[in-house]
Amino acid sequence: MNFHQLHIFYTVSERGSFSAAAQTLHMTQPAVTMQVQALEDYFGTKLFDRSGKKIMLSEAGLALMPFALRSMQLVRETNQAMSAFTHMLEGRLQLGASLTIGEYVLPRLLGPFGKEYPNISIMMKVMNTSQIIDEINRHQLNFGLIEAPVSHPDMVVEPVMGDELKLIVPAGHPLADQAEVTLEAALAYPFVLRERGSGTRRVMEEQLEERGLDPAAMRIVMELGSTGAVKSAVEAGLGITIISTSSVKHEAALGLLKIVDLADASFKRQFYAIHLKSTLLPISAVTFLGFLRSHNIHLKNGGMA
C-alpha cells in the first residue's frame, strides 16, 4: 500500500467511475483499475461494488475512505509546511482569478513573487467564478481565486486574503472632504454599482441586510459589468459607489477619486482559493498561495503594497 494508491481510490470514489478518475489523474483507465485492484489485493477485500457502469463503495471501501482523506490532508499540510524552504522551485502555474483580484490585486503581487521565485511562470485568466470552476473541472487551471465563497461538492474552498470595500466618491463631491460619514448620509446620494451577482455587489448587499437596510431602497442610477466602468462613471460625477480599495489606489493617488470612511459600517470580505478535492496542488501552487497569505498578514501589520 502507498499514498498513490489511496489517492487513486479516493478519486475513483469522488468521480464515480474509473474513466472519470483516469481523466482527473491524467492516467489511463487500465492503470487506474490496476492500482485499485492492487489495493484490494493488499487488503484482501473488494473496495467497490461494481454493477454495470455504476460503482459504489463497498462496506470495506466506506471504512477506508476516512483514512484516504486523512492521508491526502497530511500531504497537503506537508507541502504547505515545506513550501517556505523551496526557493529554487520551477514550473508553470495556470490559475483563474475573478475581476477585482485579477485586475487590481494580483498584478501588484506578481512582481515580488517573481523576484523570490524566478523559475515559476504564471499564466492567469481573468474570468467570473462559474467560468473558473468549469475550467478547474476540465483541468485547464490548477486553481482559482474568487471574491466570495461557493459551495461545490468537488471543490476545496479556503480563504487566502482579506479585502475591504469602502465608499468611493468623485473629487469635488459634498462628501469628499469629510473624514468619515454615516451610512445613512451616504445612502442619500445616487449610486453606481457593479452588476447583480458580482462578488462586490453581493458583499455590499449582505452587509446592508445585516444592518436591517434594504439594498433595493438604494438610489441606483447605473449598474455596470466591470469595476473599471464603475470607477469611470463615478469619476464623471454620475454617482458614488462602494468597491474594493485595492481597485482605486491609482485614482486616489491622482486625486480623481476619494476614499471615504464610513463611521458606522464596515464592508470586509475574504478572497478564496478554490481547487479540486481529488487533485493535489503542485508544490509551486502551494507556495504561491502561501505567499499570498503571508503578504496579507504583512499588509495587516502595516506593510506597503
Side-chain angles (χ1 to χ4, degrees):
M1 181 182 63
N2 56 50
F3 167 75
H4 182 55
Q5 291 170 339
L6 289 174
H7 185 200
I8 292 172
F9 159 76
Y10 172 84
T11 306
V12 172
S13 175
E14 280 291 297
R15 304 300 289 175
S17 74
F18 287 89
S19 58
Q23 183 179 10
T24 297
L25 296 167
H26 304 290
M27 297 172 62
T28 64
Q29 184 172 335
V32 169
T33 302
M34 182 180 69
Q35 291 297 329
V36 171
Q37 287 176 342
L39 199 57
E40 291 177 328
D41 291 342
Y42 176 83
F43 290 117
T45 185
K46 292 295 182 183
L47 300 174
F48 292 100
D49 291 327
R50 300 165 177 84
S51 176
K53 292 184 177 180
K54 297 182 68 176
I55 64 168
M56 296 182 64
L57 286 171
S58 67
E59 188 175 351
L62 287 169
L64 179 62
M65 180 58 72
F67 298 99
L69 281 168
R70 282 166 57 185
S71 70
M72 291 182 65
Q73 183 60 35
L74 181 59
V75 170
R76 290 190 179 106
E77 291 173 2
T78 302
N79 281 340
Q80 188 170 342
M82 297 306 296
S83 65
F85 303 97
T86 51
H87 291 272
M88 295 307 293
L89 281 175
E90 296 182 357
R92 178 178 173 84
L93 286 181
Q94 296 177 299
L95 66 100
S98 56
L99 192 64
T100 297
I101 301 172
E103 290 195 350
Y104 301 107
V105 177
L106 286 187
R108 286 193 288 269
L109 301 178
L110 294 179
F113 180 79
K115 289 180 180 178
E116 193 166 346
Y117 301 95
N119 298 318
I120 297 178
S121 62
I122 294 178
M123 188 281 290
M124 179 178 68
K125 293 183 178 180
V126 179
M127 55 183 65
N128 64 40
T129 297
S130 61
Q131 291 172 320
I132 290 172
I133 291 174
D134 179 61
E135 295 225 0
I136 292 174
N137 266 322
R138 293 191 293 109
H139 305 283
Q140 301 300 306
L141 300 174
N142 297 119
F143 64 95
L145 295 168
I146 57 178
E147 296 168 38
V150 296
S151 179
H152 193 289
D154 298 327
M155 298 287 173
V156 174
V157 182
E158 54 185 352
V160 289
M161 294 188 75
D163 184 43
E164 186 170 8
L165 311 180
K166 285 200 173 184
L167 183 68
I168 310 298
V169 304
H173 190 273
L175 300 179
D177 294 327
Q178 298 191 35
E180 62 179 20
V181 301
T182 65
L183 186 58
E184 183 181 3
L187 293 177
Y189 292 90
F191 274 80
V192 177
L193 298 178
R194 285 287 307 276
E195 77 284 7
R196 292 183 184 274
S198 70
T200 297
R201 179 76 172 263
R202 197 178 311 144
V203 169
M204 184 204 71
E205 290 179 339
E206 287 173 355
Q207 291 292 328
L208 289 177
E209 288 170 352
E210 285 185 12
R211 287 163 174 76
L213 299 170
D214 183 5
M218 296 178 71
R219 186 149 55 104
I220 303 171
V221 295
M222 198 172 292
E223 295 177 295
L224 299 169
S226 75
T227 301
V230 169
K231 291 193 299 180
S232 296
V234 172
E235 187 180 331
L238 300 178
I240 63 177
T241 193
I242 295 175
I243 54 176
S244 171
T245 55
S246 302
S247 65
V248 294
K249 288 186 176 181
H250 179 69
E251 292 83 0
L254 293 176
L256 302 173
L257 296 174
K258 179 73 183 294
I259 301 172
V260 181
D261 289 329
L262 289 168
D264 55 351
S266 176
F267 296 90
K268 294 183 179 180
R269 64 175 173 179
Q270 291 283 335
F271 292 148
Y272 296 84
I274 182 170
H275 62 89
L276 280 172
K277 289 179 181 177
S278 56
T279 301
L280 290 171
L281 288 174
I283 187 66
S284 54
V286 174
T287 300
F288 182 72
L289 292 175
F291 175 86
L292 295 185
R293 291 188 187 96
S294 65
H295 181 83
N296 188 46
I297 293 171
H298 177 60
L299 289 181
K300 286 182 178 179
N301 289 335
M304 298 297 292

